[in-house]
Amino acid sequence: MSKLVFIRHGQSEWNLKNLFTGWVDVNLSEQGEQEAKEAGRKLKEAGIEFDQAYTSVLTRAIKTLHFALEESGQLWIPEEKSWRLNERHYGALQGKNKQAAAEKYGDEQVHIWRRSYDVLPPLLDANDEGSAANDRRYANLDPRIVPGGENLKVTLERVIPFWEDKIAPDLLAGKNVIVAAHGNSLRALTKYIEQISDEDIMNVEMATGQPVVYELDDKLNIVSKEKL
C-alpha cells in the first residue's frame, strides 16, 4: 500500500482579490500561509510520512509545500518542481476580476470558463507582455507548448505525462507521495485517478490547504480516500 496526498495551495493574494490567476506567479496571503501550516499539522497528527514531494514552479504552491512539510517535520524529503503541475492557464482572463468578468460576459459564461472540461477561455497572445513565453522559468520549453489559455482537458493532457513518468512509478514502488499544486491541476489528476466523467468534474472543488489522502493498492486502485 502507498499513500498519495494532494494539497491545493493556501489562499493566494489574488484569491483574496478575486482575480483570475492561472500561470501568473503570486504569493500566498497571510491566511494562505496559515492554511498551509495547518495542513502540515494535520498530516503530522495523522502520522503520514512521505518519501517524495512534487509541486509546480509557482510560488504559492511551492510555499504551501514547504510550510506543510516543515510543520510535519519533513522538510528534508526529496522534492521536484514541474511546470506540468501549474494551475490551468486562464488566457486573457488572467489578472481580471472574476465579478467584473461575470458582469461583462455573464455568470453562466464565466462559470463555463472556470469549471467546464473542454471550453477554452479567451486566449492570450504570445506577444502579450503577460505571456508565459516571456518568463525565464519556461525558457527551456518548446515555445509551441507554452499555452495562451487552457481548459481542464488541456490541463489534464499536460499533467498525465508527469503522473506516468514520476508520480505513478513512485507509488508503484511503495513510496508515499505528496503533491502540492493548484485547483485545476489537482482536479485533472483527481479526474484521472477517480475516473470521473467530463460532466461530473464540473462539480468537483478542491478546498485550499486541505489535504486529501488516498491509499492505493499495488495496481494504483483507490482503497480509501479521506479529507483531513
Side-chain angles (χ1 to χ4, degrees):
M1 294 285 189
S2 55
K3 284 186 170 64
L4 171 65
V5 173
F6 290 159
I7 303 179
R8 180 187 174 188
H9 65 78
Q11 183 193 66
S12 74
E13 293 174 340
W14 277 22
N15 290 147
L16 185 60
K17 294 178 180 179
N18 201 31
L19 304 179
F20 285 101
T21 310
W23 280 34
V24 179
D25 194 28
V26 301
N27 214 334
L28 292 174
S29 66
E30 289 185 15
Q31 177 181 320
E33 291 185 5
Q34 293 306 312
E35 288 174 345
K37 291 175 182 178
E38 178 61 20
R41 288 190 284 270
K42 289 178 179 178
L43 292 169
K44 185 175 183 178
E45 290 171 4
I48 301 175
E49 296 182 340
F50 298 107
D51 303 293
Q52 178 68 46
Y54 294 107
T55 189
S56 74
V57 295
L58 298 172
T59 298
R60 58 195 187 273
I62 297 168
K63 284 193 170 182
T64 294
L65 175 64
H66 291 174
F67 281 130
L69 290 178
E70 185 172 16
E71 288 294 322
S72 63
Q74 302 182 76
L75 195 55
W76 57 272
I77 68 169
E79 169 190 333
E80 182 172 342
K81 305 177 184 75
S82 174
W83 69 277
R84 289 189 177 276
L85 293 175
N86 277 12
E87 175 61 293
R88 64 170 280 200
H89 194 299
Y90 274 106
L93 295 175
Q94 293 186 163
K96 303 290 193 297
N97 181 274
K98 294 175 184 176
Q99 183 57 42
E103 292 170 1
K104 180 176 181 179
Y105 300 106
D107 288 334
E108 183 177 355
Q109 180 61 67
V110 172
H111 180 73
I112 290 171
W113 281 333
R114 293 183 66 190
R115 290 290 177 260
S116 71
Y117 181 59
D118 57 5
V119 178
L120 286 168
L123 300 183
L124 187 68
D125 190 274
N127 295 319
D128 190 285
E129 64 178 4
S131 171
N134 301 318
D135 191 324
R136 77 181 186 94
R137 79 192 75 193
Y138 309 113
N140 293 327
L141 297 182
D142 183 334
R144 291 171 295 184
I145 66 174
V146 176
E150 296 175 309
N151 50 39
L152 190 63
K153 181 176 184 290
V154 176
T155 305
L156 178 63
E157 289 169 354
R158 69 160 156 87
V159 167
I160 291 310
F162 192 79
W163 168 269
E164 294 174 340
D165 294 342
K166 299 289 186 175
I167 302 173
D170 283 346
L171 296 168
L172 289 169
K175 295 181 179 180
N176 290 344
V177 175
I178 181 171
V179 180
H182 306 263
N184 284 291
S185 53
L186 292 178
R187 283 175 73 227
L189 284 171
T190 299
K191 183 184 192 304
Y192 183 75
I193 66 175
E194 294 189 26
Q195 299 180 2
I196 299 171
S197 71
D198 297 354
E199 295 75 24
D200 290 343
I201 194 62
M202 287 187 69
N203 300 315
V204 173
E205 296 279 354
M206 304 294 295
T208 55
Q210 181 179 48
V212 178
V213 183
Y214 294 95
E215 190 169 22
L216 307 171
D217 66 16
D218 59 2
K219 302 295 184 183
L220 301 190
N221 297 309
I222 297 171
V223 176
S224 66
K225 176 184 178 182
E226 178 185 10
K227 295 181 180 181
L228 298 184

